Amino acid sequence: MMSDVLKAAFIFVAPEADPKTHRQWVETPKVKLIAVAVKNYDQAAETAKQLLAEGIGAIELCGGFGNKGTAIITEAVEGKIPVGVVRFDIHPGLGNASGDGLFV
């Protein structure tokens, strides 16, 4: 049985997002999750590095991140924490496009 609290993050891509202000914590007895909005992959990579430094133990990426975007975030955290992804080939929140087509 899990005894420690997992600190995790969910990073999602949204137009005009500012990760400094578009963020919110959800806390349960065993998981503390911060959801953070970013406007592109560069901002996501920088945010992922900051979250790692703040003690986040896992990152999940929204379906707007394509394969290349997922690799960018994995490289940004240098493999020090797991990076998972929700999968959409095209994302309805990004005009039915993949982040790979928009941000790479």
Side-chain angles (χ1 to χ4, degrees), residues 42-61:
D42 290 337
Q43 219 174 46
E46 204 49 47
T47 298
K49 290 177 192 177
Q50 292 167 357
L51 291 168
L52 174 63
E54 294 169 14
I56 292 296
I59 293 175
E60 184 165 333
L61 304 173

Side-chain angles (χ1 to χ4, degrees), residues 10-55:
F10 178 73
I11 301 174
F12 64 101
V13 180
E16 301 180 29
D18 179 351
K20 293 178 183 162
T21 58
H22 298 123
R23 57 176 50 221
Q24 185 69 46
W25 281 98
V26 175
E27 298 187 26
T28 72
K30 296 294 179 183
V31 177
K32 292 182 179 183
L33 175 77
I34 188 167
V36 184
V38 297
K39 66 181 177 181
N40 57 38
Y41 288 174
D42 290 337
Q43 219 174 46
E46 204 49 47
T47 298
K49 290 177 192 177
Q50 292 167 357
L51 291 168
L52 174 63
E54 294 169 14

Side-chain angles (χ1 to χ4, degrees), residues 64-77:
F65 284 83
N67 294 324
K68 293 175 184 175
T70 302
I72 289 167
I73 304 311
T74 301
E75 289 172 16
V77 298

